[in-house]
Amino acid sequence: MENSPILTKKNRMAIPRQKMPEQAPEIRKRNFNEVNLGLDEETAVLEANRCLDCPRPTCIDGCPVRIKIPDFIRMITQRDFLGAAKKIKEDNLLPLVCGRVCPQEEQCEKTCVLRGKFQAVSIGRLERFVADYERKFGNFTPPHVLPSNSKKVAIVGSGPSGLACASDLIQWGYNVTIFEALHEFGGVLVYGIPEFRLPKEILRYEVNNLKKIGVKFVDNFIVGKTLTIDELMTEEGFDAVYLCVGAGLPWFMNIPGESLMGVYSANEFLTRVNLMKAYQFPDADTPIHIGKNAIVIGGGNTAMDAVRTSMRLGAETATIVYRRSEVEMPARIEEIHHAKEEGIVFRMLTNPVEFISDENGWVKSVRCIRMELGEPDSSGRRRPIAIPGSEFDIDADLVVVAIGNGSNPLISQTTPDLKCNKWGNILVNGAEGRTSKRGIFAGGDIVSGSATVILAMGAGRDAAKSIDEFIKTGAWNESAPTALPTP
Amino acid sequence: MNKIISAEFIAPDIKRFVVEAPLIARKRKPGQFVIVRVRENGERIPLTIVDGSPETGFITLMVQGIGKTTKTMNQLEAGDFVRDVVGPLGKPTHIEKYGVAVCVCGGVGTAEVLPIAKALKEAGNYVITIIGARTKELVIAESEMRTVCDEVIVTTDDGTYGKKGFVTEALSAILQSGRKPDFVLAVGPLPMMKAIAEMTRPYQIRTEVSLNSIMIDGTGMCGGCRANIGGKTQFVCVDGPEFDAHQVDFDQIAKRQKQFNAQEKISLDRFTQENHTCKLEPFINQPEKQ
């Protein structure tokens, strides 16, 4: 191609990893617009030219849905951006989302041969670039959909797992209905991930595309309450059900003062701001308490989202309190980096022991204890141990507890013959996602516990395959599901 | 979108809505609630399901206009639509034959207690209901209550109707008469529920209250409705809304109810401004006399 001169391996390796243009920290820390602005065409082509197009590519192994990474990157070097987008969509229908929120440094970019000294190809940024390009310039071309086989599948939950499962099944000719408990579709992508990381407009675009190819979306419908799973099967005539309801029952720390005013779970804090648009209060009706000194407890992506949100709402200081050290933080490196640029304070090896009240019942400070790292625990990370007598107080009038989620009991409570473990996670038969109940499949966070968007999507696609097989053959292995699928 | 079939004020600021919601009408049981969002950009608020019929597919809700959201809802009329209605949520009231059951209710709580009183009666209980209100025109659902209960006692704070005084005094009279109730249910303002709980505690009467917390999703996801029940954190939306009154930390709940007072005032002021009709308007708009 005239636009892509023949580059030697050496030429390619000489190109530095291209930077993502971003809003300046001082400006973005006070607005909710997207932080990352996206690569322009020239930068994307330059970055794509860094790919060595390995004969035996290792990047694909790092991707839970096995996107044909070298193929789509090659198409970028040839400036066939729409073709590249199509190539990604063979394996992942939501590149607009994944290009923004996947932890690529732990997945495809971790297994790129250039990692380390030369730095991995920015696969995630390229994925986002072509997806954005297609949304801007490409007409939506519906994927090939097989003629209807009139078999009905119910998907419970419209988060990433449900959307991925629906996109496969609809293309294979199934009649697919997604049931959502909230009034908007997208699950954690709409209530959890903030506008500045994933604009809601993008999510609506993806949902609309699924509607265009025939997926039915039902909002305000709580499976287990509005109708039970058994009623979906017997009365509504569904041939199979995929349960992907997410984790969604916030953990608290069980320390004194947790119910003081000004103390939120991350789910509540983020749902108020994201789903209910409290950052637009009073134009939107849902209020949020604006803290002067905000403290967010936890070290994951949700904690980063919450602390950066508190800064954007107007906090003077916003602090992460985490009981381990920075290397053990589960948050993406990019999120930690962005947070630091925005002036977020990081207090590591610090664990809250009590929330202290003012005279009116509002939180006024957090009593913390210093920690040190001991021997590695079951997660392989060094276990934090409290240093006796090291307590100290940090002023705070807004506290967000972001230490993770347990499983929501609504489905298990109303479906007694569905086997769960002691934490309420639904038990499935390996990657097939079959539960203890015939015709019922499960995947995503309700099975694995809190994980990532792309893993939930991978589980959704695996489930789609098993559902297809089950409906075609009617075969159901009755052996009791025992193991959780390994991510 | 759920269509409003009928809407009528039954007392000042208290409006009864009959809303189309066939699946909820079929499933709902006494004590359960729905989450309602009146309009786009609106709040999600919990409302107790007062009645429902699988035949018509309608549910009945009772709204007391206090803040912006409830006042906005109370502007809606038959034929209008509510943006979102989801449910039925929460655990239904546990109904069994206790013997003598006393239901104590105030304000819109009276309408909420009606289906429960009915279910208690059907389960074979002798049901006494005490209805409390500030003044006569705020007494609601009395005649319906009389058709399902064995006894109905009405109290008004100002003595304009029924006995003058509070519901607590009426309950106290029952307790002192030596007729020990086997079960007490209290639904109404927090101070009232707390007072009832303290009153029955020495008698060791099983007492339940229905808590009305601030909620968002209503499915256990946000934890905003959490309450301290017997020293443990419970979620009103999935573990309740009814709890053993003697285990409830009412003071903490009362504080949490007030956490958005400042913002609620801003919202309400804006609502009042937007809905203000200038008293001079009829004069201003009059054509000038020739």
Side-chain angles (χ1 to χ4, degrees), chain A residues 202-280:
Chain A
I202 278 169
L203 195 62
R204 275 182 219 119
Y205 172 83
E206 301 275 36
V207 167
N208 276 333
N209 285 346
L210 285 173
K211 284 182 184 168
K212 280 182 195 159
I213 57 175
V215 177
K216 293 186 202 79
F217 284 82
V218 179
D219 61 6
N220 295 320
F221 194 107
I222 300 174
V223 172
K225 288 281 188 181
T226 315
L227 282 182
T228 63
I229 290 173
D230 286 327
E231 285 164 335
L232 283 179
M233 300 286 275
T234 55
E235 293 176 22
E236 302 297 316
F238 283 98
D239 298 283
V241 177
Y242 178 51
L243 300 172
C244 45
V245 296
L249 192 84
W251 279 331
F252 286 94
M253 305 179 72
N254 292 317
I255 60 174
E258 212 143 46
S259 289
L260 291 175
M261 292 188 285
V263 181
Y264 295 94
S265 74
N267 279 2
E268 181 183 1
F269 184 72
L270 290 172
T271 302
R272 281 182 180 275
V273 179
N274 299 333
L275 175 72
M276 305 309 295
K277 308 188 190 90
Y279 64 97
Q280 292 171 354

Side-chain angles (χ1 to χ4, degrees), chain B residues 212-229:
Chain B
N212 186 357
S213 303
I214 296 171
M215 292 184 190
I216 305 177
D217 61 298
T219 63
M221 187 270 280
C222 82
C225 65
R226 64 193 186 275
N228 185 338
I229 313 289

Side-chain angles (χ1 to χ4, degrees), chain A residues 1 11-12 36 60 63 77 96 138 179 199 202 222 225 250 300 370 487:
Chain A
M1 297 272 299
N11 294 149
R12 292 178 190 276
N36 289 339
I60 301 177
C63 175
T77 65
L96 282 166
F179 294 97
I202 278 169
I222 300 174
K225 288 281 188 181
R370 291 190 207 285

Side-chain angles (χ1 to χ4, degrees), chain B residues 131-139 153-167 169:
Chain B
I131 302 173
R134 211 167 62 238
T135 184
K136 183 183 176 182
E137 59 181 356
L138 293 173
V139 176
I153 303 159
V154 181
T155 67
T156 52
D157 301 1
D158 61 1
T160 46
Y161 186 66
K163 288 182 185 164
K164 185 178 191 305
F166 300 118
V167 287
E169 292 160 35

Side-chain angles (χ1 to χ4, degrees), chain A residues 391-423:
Chain A
E391 288 89 347
F392 65 103
D393 292 354
I394 312 175
D395 284 348
D397 56 352
L398 171 71
V399 173
V400 180
V401 181
I403 57 166
N405 285 294
S407 52
N408 194 301
L410 273 185
I411 294 274
S412 50
Q413 273 174 6
T414 52
T415 321
D417 48 345
L418 195 67
K419 286 207 178 79
C420 298
N421 68 11
K422 62 175 172 175
W423 298 285

